[in-house]
Amino acid sequence: MQAPQTAAFQPPRRILMGPGPSDVPQRILDAMARPTIGHLDPAFTTMMEETKALLRYAFQTENKLTFPVSGPGSVGMETCFVNLVEPGDTVVVCINGVFGGRMLENVKRCGGVPVVVEDAWGRAVDPGKVEAAFQAHPEAKLLAFVHAETSTGAQSDGAALAAIARRHGALTIMDCVTSLGGTPVLIDQWGIDAAYSGSQKCLSCTPGLSPVTFGEAAIAKVKARKTPVQSWFMDLNLVLGYWSGEGKRTYHHTAPINPLYGLHEALRILAEEGIENAWARHRAQHQALKAGIEVLGLDFVVPEDERLPQLNAVGLPEGVDDAAARGRLLNEFSLEIGAGLGALAGRIWRIGLMGASARADNVDLCLKALKAVIR
Ligand SMILES: *Cc1c(COP(=O)(O)O)cnc(C)c1O
């Protein structure tokens, strides 16, 4: 068999203003190009410990069990569900977009009994409905919700939802893939028991890593399981020996060494900026984009007080062809924005202002480019 003839891949330069990945700063790419070392090398484990400390800062938590799962955000999602949902557990699942639907799928596959709380796509989760669901199902052991619904750009009230679960003796799983680093995620203050995120959204790293954090009550539930976690790879009891950092580190799987250099650098950038400053920057760039969007006459999908600064969903203008317009943005402006998902496919655009992408010149370019393709 003949080897295929190829050239080294040279990706085009793009400006990434979609739902992730976001622009990756050169500093992070440089970090990832450094020499690969063994994942049990003491130098590597020192970096792992720093990464965990930096992640605790990003999540605003003292949780010891805070680490990046080797896999994209979806693997962080599964890690939470396969460990915390035992067959027969009743789980209140909030659905107000695509990712809440994936949570439901996870609950079902873990043998959990879902109680679905539905809200319209484009709206926050209604705490009143969650309260009613717990009153109707006092046996519920878990609440699962998406803090920042990337499919619509709606932000839910993490503090209020976690408080309801706590009052009813249930644990909380929160998806903060799109919120971490872009808008406040206060794990300890809100009392979130388990949360997962992703490297490629507001942390502006390359895709493929999923920061997770688990509190004491969540760990106790995993340890008290009557049935083994059905996934060997994601079983926290096994992963703990690798990430715990208490002296002897045992082989579990080979960590993605170089991507972890990248995450370490991305988190250092966040720490240097200061997380409050990062939140403020996302808000400020959102305000600038919003002003321009309104001048263009486009409407936001989400009501103002439920809007995420880092994911701006706007209705497609009358008579504009979705794929053709986004094609022009890519070809003429090297700009990527997101299409609608699920029920909103072909009806909205999703403009991301995530991490390093949330900067004034990107907002200017995006508005100029949108104006050109809408005309
Ligand atoms: C992107 C995203 C995910 C999935 O992350 P992947 O890295 O694509 O697996 C999950 N939840 C939300 C809210 C997301 O935005």
Side-chain angles (χ1 to χ4, degrees), residues 270-324:
L270 179 66
E272 279 169 20
E273 181 177 16
I275 199 160
E276 292 85 0
N277 296 331
W279 298 334
R281 174 170 52 81
H282 283 86
R283 258 198 321 278
Q285 296 311 325
H286 162 74
Q287 289 301 337
L289 181 74
K290 172 176 171 272
I293 288 284
E294 285 166 356
V295 170
L296 289 175
L298 304 183
D299 295 321
F300 277 88
V301 173
V302 177
E304 189 154 8
D305 58 342
E306 296 174 1
R307 245 173 241 166
L308 279 168
Q310 64 271 49
L311 197 287
N312 298 268
V314 297
L316 232 67
E318 199 78 34
V320 169
D321 181 83
D322 175 28

Side-chain angles (χ1 to χ4, degrees), residues 83-298:
N83 281 281
L84 290 172
V85 180
E86 268 199 276
D89 281 356
T90 298
V91 185
V92 176
V93 189
C94 306
I95 302 184
N96 60 339
V98 167
F99 294 100
R102 289 194 183 177
M103 284 183 145
L104 171 62
E105 190 61 32
N106 270 270
V107 170
K108 287 183 187 162
R109 290 183 187 215
C110 294
V113 181
V115 172
V116 174
V117 171
E118 281 211 73
D119 280 289
W121 285 40
R123 295 303 307 268
V125 172
D126 178 353
K129 289 186 190 170
V130 174
E131 174 64 35
F134 273 105
Q135 280 178 12
H137 294 275
E139 76 285 9
K141 293 202 172 125
L142 285 161
L143 167 69
F145 69 92
V146 179
H147 179 224
E149 222 342 314
T150 322
S151 61
T152 66
Q155 171 157 243
S156 292
D157 186 340
L161 295 174
I164 295 167
R166 198 159 51 247
R167 268 206 307 283
H168 292 276
L171 300 183
T172 301
I173 298 175
M174 180 171 81
D175 177 321
C176 51
V177 176
T178 277
S179 42
L180 192 70
T183 197
V185 172
L186 309 176
I187 297 296
D188 288 1
Q189 192 179 314
W190 297 351
I192 304 291
D193 298 290
Y196 58 91
S197 189
S199 47
Q200 78 277 28
K201 311 232 173 164
C202 294
L203 299 179
S204 259
C205 190
T206 51
L209 290 168
S210 177
V212 295
T213 185
F214 296 90
E216 290 303 324
I219 296 168
K221 188 171 191 313
V222 180
K223 289 201 165 143
R225 284 179 67 109
K226 290 184 209 72
T227 54
V229 174
Q230 63 269 37
S231 160
W232 174 86
F233 182 71
M234 286 177 259
D235 185 344
L236 281 180
N237 293 299
L238 304 177
V239 176
L240 260 164
Y242 188 57
W243 275 102
S244 67
E246 274 141 23
K248 54 177 196 321
R249 203 176 288 269
T250 51
Y251 169 67
H252 175 260
H253 67 282
T254 310
I257 317 275
N258 293 57
L260 284 167
Y261 298 166
L263 181 63
H264 179 264
E265 196 62 17
L267 292 167
R268 274 170 35 77
I269 291 173
L270 179 66
E272 279 169 20
E273 181 177 16
I275 199 160
E276 292 85 0
N277 296 331
W279 298 334
R281 174 170 52 81
H282 283 86
R283 258 198 321 278
Q285 296 311 325
H286 162 74
Q287 289 301 337
L289 181 74
K290 172 176 171 272
I293 288 284
E294 285 166 356
V295 170
L296 289 175
L298 304 183

Side-chain angles (χ1 to χ4, degrees), residues 10-30:
Q10 300 292 350
R13 281 243 161 235
R14 300 288 193 216
I15 291 147
L16 301 177
M17 297 182 74
S22 51
D23 288 339
V24 180
Q26 192 58 42
R27 241 179 94 174
I28 295 174
L29 297 173
D30 289 345

